[in-house]
Amino acid sequence: MQIGLIGLGKMGFNLALNFKKNGHQVLAYDLNKTSVKKIKEEGIATASSVTDLVLSLPGRKVIWLMVPAGHVVDIILGNLKNHLHSNDIIIDGGNSHYKESITRAKELSEMGVHLLDCGTCGGVSTISNGLSLTVGGNREAYEFCEPIFKAISSKDGYLHCGPSGHGHFVKMVHNGIEYGMLQSIAEGIELLLKHNHLDVSAITKVWNHGSLVESKLMEFTQRALEKDTNLESVKAIANHSSEGKWPAEMALELGVPAPVITLALLMRFRSQQDDSFATRLVAALRGEFGGHRVERKD
């Protein structure tokens, strides 16, 4: 299948390579000329503009957006609307708020265009090995795109969750759980360090082989600690993103007690005010699994 891909950031670039590796043709576009040059060097075709990308795709068009949530999505959709036809498909693989995805899907449906909201989980370091995808939107459009989802996902790693907004809602909850897990791991490792200077990198390696806390996050923990056990070079600043705040807001809206998720978010705010090992570890982990910028000490 031929796919138009808009956005060649840390996720989009590797996604393009994943598509190609799995036999799909990709036509990519990004405002960043350096990213475009690099993806061309990987043998992937590029477009000179969003308009050029749309007009170059044959037949029923499938366009995957991998751009930051918010206004930029609306700008791109506004441009795409001028060139799409009934039954074309847009996949928003970013972290858009699920309510915005519902609104956008409704507006696009009035011109016969389908918007699939796709929660993309796994992080940049795992994107080439198989993602976890939760998709919302029109069932027929989902089934048309299912070969794409299957190709880039891990085994049993994709799901049609329901109508528009459901895919991004599930991803939002996933991110809230992630916040709580990161905080719990960081606090536990700090406890270990305070007790006779245990070898925490060796412990996390053992924990990641058969224990109940075995996970990708524990693997990333081991990786970060092997580089620098005390994380002395990492500033204790763990920034938060909107998709981490939304689950806490939704918990309040639905009347669901979510103290761990909410407190993990508040600890991100705390990290702006003082220094702690736990926060340094959260910052380092975000760099390991998500490619996020890690602020270093002078």
Side-chain angles (χ1 to χ4, degrees), residues 7-206:
L8 293 170
K10 55 195 175 189
M11 289 290 286
F13 191 94
N14 288 313
L15 187 62
L17 299 180
N18 197 338
F19 285 140
K20 181 187 176 186
K21 182 180 75 172
N22 286 285
H24 294 285
Q25 293 180 294
V26 183
L27 180 62
Y29 170 75
D30 196 290
L31 283 172
N32 188 311
K33 302 304 180 185
T34 301
S35 297
V36 171
K37 181 175 181 292
K38 287 181 178 179
I39 206 68
K40 287 178 72 173
E41 292 170 354
E42 297 288 344
I44 290 176
T46 61
S48 59
S49 66
V50 170
T51 301
D52 179 41
L53 181 141
V54 179
L55 296 179
S56 298
L57 292 173
R60 187 178 188 183
K61 305 179 194 307
V62 176
I63 300 173
W64 189 300
L65 307 185
M66 210 66 190
V67 298
H71 188 51
V72 64
V73 177
D74 292 312
I75 292 174
I76 294 172
L77 291 180
N79 196 336
L80 290 174
K81 286 177 183 178
N82 298 321
H83 308 289
L84 294 176
H85 300 94
S86 180
N87 240 15
D88 287 342
I89 301 168
I90 300 172
I91 303 170
D92 181 0
N95 282 319
S96 294
H97 194 289
Y98 81 97
K99 291 183 179 180
E100 294 181 350
S101 296
I102 293 172
T103 299
R104 291 166 180 154
K106 183 178 180 181
E107 292 174 353
L108 287 167
S109 70
E110 293 174 358
M111 55 183 291
V113 175
H114 304 294
L115 175 67
L116 298 177
D117 51 286
C118 180
T120 307
C121 306
V124 279
S125 60
T126 60
I127 194 169
S128 60
N129 298 321
L131 293 164
S132 174
L133 306 175
T134 54
V135 187
N138 178 272
R139 181 81 196 192
E140 185 277 331
Y142 165 81
E143 291 176 351
F144 182 83
C145 296
E146 189 170 5
I148 301 173
F149 300 134
K150 184 175 182 180
I152 63 174
S153 299
S154 58
K155 187 177 183 296
D156 298 324
Y158 68 98
L159 177 70
H160 182 253
C161 298
S164 295
H166 281 57
H168 279 157
F169 182 86
V170 173
K171 178 57 162 58
M172 178 189 71
V173 175
H174 166 280
N175 288 347
I177 294 171
E178 174 195 304
Y179 266 51
M181 291 176 69
L182 287 176
Q183 187 63 36
S184 179
I185 290 171
E187 292 174 7
I189 299 302
E190 184 166 25
L191 277 172
L192 292 174
L193 274 176
K194 293 294 184 180
H195 182 76
N196 294 331
H197 303 287
L198 292 164
D199 187 344
V200 288
S201 62
I203 291 169
T204 52
K205 181 178 180 179
V206 170

